[in-house]
Amino acid sequence: MNCQGLIREISAYLDGELTPELLGDIERHLERCKDCRLIVDTTRKTIEIYYNTQPLALPNDVRERLHQALIKRLGRRPNA
Ligand SMILES: [Zn+2]
């Protein structure tokens, strides 16, 4: 698991939809990657704020835009 892999799975991670294997990979990565801890934290808060203001689930296009923004940001300074 690297940063890009984590970003790809972040929605499923926050939704609790990952297999135990992937969940383990992500949690191991988060233990040693401060950047991704920050991203997961920020994304979780963003989703919580969204859920608090919208009764419906996060639309796919919003998820997609969030992913793209995160991938772009990570792409500029790859690590792990
Ligand atoms: Zn990372």
Side-chain angles (χ1 to χ4, degrees), residues 34-51:
K34 204 176 79 179
D35 282 349
C36 283
R37 282 205 299 275
L38 190 67
I39 287 166
V40 167
D41 202 44
T42 305
T43 306
R44 183 184 281 131
K45 284 193 182 104
T46 303
I47 290 170
E48 279 170 7
I49 289 164
Y50 192 88
Y51 277 139

Side-chain angles (χ1 to χ4, degrees), residues 2-4 6 29 33-37 74 79-80:
N2 57 22
C3 294
Q4 308 240 334
L6 187 142
H29 182 87
C33 183
K34 204 176 79 179
D35 282 349
C36 283
R37 282 205 299 275
L74 277 175
N79 66 359

Side-chain angles (χ1 to χ4, degrees), residues 5-59:
L6 187 142
I7 295 306
R8 266 200 305 276
E9 304 297 340
I10 197 166
S11 290
Y13 173 66
L14 292 174
D15 287 346
E17 291 171 352
L18 289 180
T19 61
E21 288 79 11
L22 262 177
L23 189 61
D25 280 353
I26 283 185
E27 287 182 341
R28 276 192 297 280
H29 182 87
L30 289 175
E31 275 172 22
R32 62 184 172 78
C33 183
K34 204 176 79 179
D35 282 349
C36 283
R37 282 205 299 275
L38 190 67
I39 287 166
V40 167
D41 202 44
T42 305
T43 306
R44 183 184 281 131
K45 284 193 182 104
T46 303
I47 290 170
E48 279 170 7
I49 289 164
Y50 192 88
Y51 277 139
N52 285 338
T53 54
Q54 297 282 330
L56 301 173
L58 194 62

Side-chain angles (χ1 to χ4, degrees), residues 60-70:
N60 283 335
D61 67 317
V62 173
R63 272 180 199 235
E64 190 54 37
R65 281 203 300 274
L66 187 62
H67 278 203
Q68 292 307 320
L70 291 170

